[in-house]
Amino acid sequence: MMITLNGEPRATEAATLADLLADCGFGAKVATALNGDFVPAALRTTTPIAEGDRIEVVAPMQGG
Amino acid sequence: MPVFYGTTVDSALMLGTAQYPSPAILAEAFRVSQAGIATVSLRREAGGGQAFWDMIAGLGTRILPNTAGCHTVKEAVTTAHMARELFATSWIKLEVIGHADTLQPDVFGLVEAARILTEDGFEVFPYCTEDLTVCGRLLEVGSQVLMPWGAPIGSGLGLNNPYGLRSLRAHFPDVPLVVDAGVGLPSHAAQAMEMGFDAVLLNTAVAKAGDPVGMARAMALAVEAGRAAFEADPMEPRDMAAPSTPVLGKAFLA
């Protein structure tokens, strides 16, 4: 299926958000949102991914 | 020292972490300035998150995550939740931007986002204008700190509306107030502190200086001097001259 990950189209077979993060090699220090809604780390393993989902994965960065 | 949501911070200087020439210079700027709070952000993970986090954690400074770049309530609220999880703090510098050129806050969205986040247990530091009504609304919905802009973010123009900032200070004498954004020179920071503001938050003025570490030191001195001046109760300015040397006893030599 096709999803949008951090603004880029991506094909994935991951069933859950946790699977997707593992497939993409993201580190532990990230936070996630699915279709604009925050998904806590504890819920990633039970959050399914569907065709067309928009997923954001963010990390600590410089800011003012 | 400023007290935010019951926490006393060691310095009235709050520094951003963006735009420094190198991580080493950033760290040295924080060390020299002894800034009490470091503002940080969240961005799409591109591989540098862990390294940045390790560096920031090494500063030993209290962290204030922001919602920079958010233009809607929904974006800001979602970003705040992600920040709380990542940085393990309920503090959030709340930005809801309403104008692309000036980065002026969308004050309507800001109040709504502050209400939602406060109800959800966040301790909100709203980046706002100096408008008394807006600030009153922010307090009504639970904000216990206000961070009015001095001038547009990154402009270095200083305090564009000293009257408005003085008025805000006078109307909310017990609310911790921080001038956030627009500070370009130590004199701007000192001016804010002389007015009785509790702290100053700046980033670009230090990060983009020719010598960021030197400017960080200058800003720290300015904040300290401005606060000392406020506590020393400055004289009232007057239009006419008044001789400081006594006239009585002057020799008659004409």
Side-chain angles (χ1 to χ4, degrees), chain B residues 8 118 123-124 140 156 172 196 236:
Chain B
T8 301
T118 300
E123 293 173 317
V124 178
E140 285 173 13
F172 300 113
E236 289 295 326

Side-chain angles (χ1 to χ4, degrees), chain B residues 128-135 148-150 160-161 163-165 167-168:
Chain B
C128 54
T129 64
E130 69 281 2
D131 185 286
L132 283 176
T133 308
V134 168
C135 288
W149 64 348
N160 273 354
N161 184 4
Y163 161 77
L165 293 170
S167 184
L168 192 65

Side-chain angles (χ1 to χ4, degrees), chain A residues 6-7 26-33 35-42 44 56-64, chain B residues 16-18 39-46 48-50 52-53 66 74 78 81-82 85-87 93 95 201 203:
Chain A
N6 284 352
F26 286 120
K29 202 69 180 170
V30 296
T32 52
N35 297 325
D37 294 320
F38 170 58
V39 179
R44 289 177 195 155
E56 295 285 338
V57 181
V58 297
M61 287 293 156
Q62 294 86 343
Chain B
T17 55
T39 54
V40 295
S41 186
L42 295 176
R43 286 295 177 264
R44 286 169 170 169
E45 169 64 318
Q50 185 66 50
F52 176 73
W53 170 248
N66 69 26
K74 177 76 185 297
T78 301
H81 278 95
M82 291 195 283
E85 181 177 82
L86 265 187
F87 294 106
K93 175 184 166 180
E95 294 188 25
L201 200 174
N203 189 156

Side-chain angles (χ1 to χ4, degrees), chain A:
Chain A
M1 64 184 155
M2 289 300 294
I3 62 169
T4 301
L5 177 61
N6 284 352
E8 301 289 336
R10 183 184 181 95
T12 181
E13 299 307 317
T16 67
L17 189 51
D19 292 340
L20 178 69
L21 295 184
D23 288 352
C24 295
F26 286 120
K29 202 69 180 170
V30 296
T32 52
L34 174 64
N35 297 325
D37 294 320
F38 170 58
V39 179
L43 297 183
R44 289 177 195 155
T45 55
T46 56
T47 301
I49 294 175
E51 178 76 26
D53 276 347
R54 292 179 297 107
I55 294 163
E56 295 285 338
V57 181
V58 297
M61 287 293 156
Q62 294 86 343

Side-chain angles (χ1 to χ4, degrees), chain B residues 5-241:
Chain B
Y5 292 98
T7 296
T8 301
V9 178
D10 292 338
S11 165
L13 180 63
M14 302 161 68
L15 267 186
T17 55
Q19 306 181 85
Y20 288 80
S22 72
I25 291 174
L26 185 160
E28 184 64 5
F30 271 83
R31 190 190 68 77
V32 165
S33 69
Q34 294 290 297
I37 291 174
T39 54
V40 295
S41 186
L42 295 176
R43 286 295 177 264
R44 286 169 170 169
E45 169 64 318
Q50 185 66 50
F52 176 73
W53 170 248
D54 291 343
M55 194 268 291
I56 288 298
L59 296 177
T61 305
R62 194 168 182 97
I63 300 296
L64 176 60
N66 69 26
T67 64
C70 292
H71 288 252
T72 68
V73 172
K74 177 76 185 297
E75 273 185 297
V77 168
T78 301
T79 301
H81 278 95
M82 291 195 283
R84 182 162 67 177
E85 181 177 82
L86 265 187
F87 294 106
T89 175
S90 292
W91 282 14
I92 189 74
K93 175 184 166 180
L94 181 61
E95 294 188 25
V96 183
I97 299 301
H99 193 277
D101 292 334
T102 63
L103 299 182
Q104 177 164 345
D106 168 0
V107 295
F108 308 99
L110 183 68
V111 171
E112 177 63 3
R115 182 189 67 75
I116 293 168
L117 291 172
T118 300
E119 288 178 357
D120 211 354
F122 284 86
E123 293 173 317
V124 178
F125 293 64
Y127 162 65
C128 54
T129 64
E130 69 281 2
D131 185 286
L132 283 176
T133 308
V134 168
C135 288
R137 293 287 168 84
L138 287 166
L139 297 173
E140 285 173 13
V141 299
S143 300
Q144 297 178 24
V145 178
L146 297 171
M147 301 212 299
W149 64 348
I153 294 170
S155 69
L157 290 171
L159 309 187
N160 273 354
N161 184 4
Y163 161 77
L165 293 170
R166 274 197 303 271
S167 184
L168 192 65
R169 180 71 286 174
H171 278 78
F172 300 113
D174 300 322
V175 176
L177 298 180
V178 181
V179 166
D180 175 15
V183 169
L185 290 168
S187 53
H188 302 154
Q191 185 186 6
M193 297 304 292
E194 288 165 6
M195 285 182 184
F197 276 74
D198 296 274
V200 173
L201 200 174
L202 58 94
N203 189 156
T204 309
V206 166
K208 289 298 190 183
D211 175 5
V213 174
M215 188 59 77
R217 177 173 177 273
M219 290 294 185
L221 292 169
V223 166
E224 186 178 345
R227 183 65 194 180
F230 172 73
E231 292 174 349
D233 189 14
M235 65 168 281
E236 289 295 326
R238 48 180 287 156
D239 289 332
M240 300 299 291

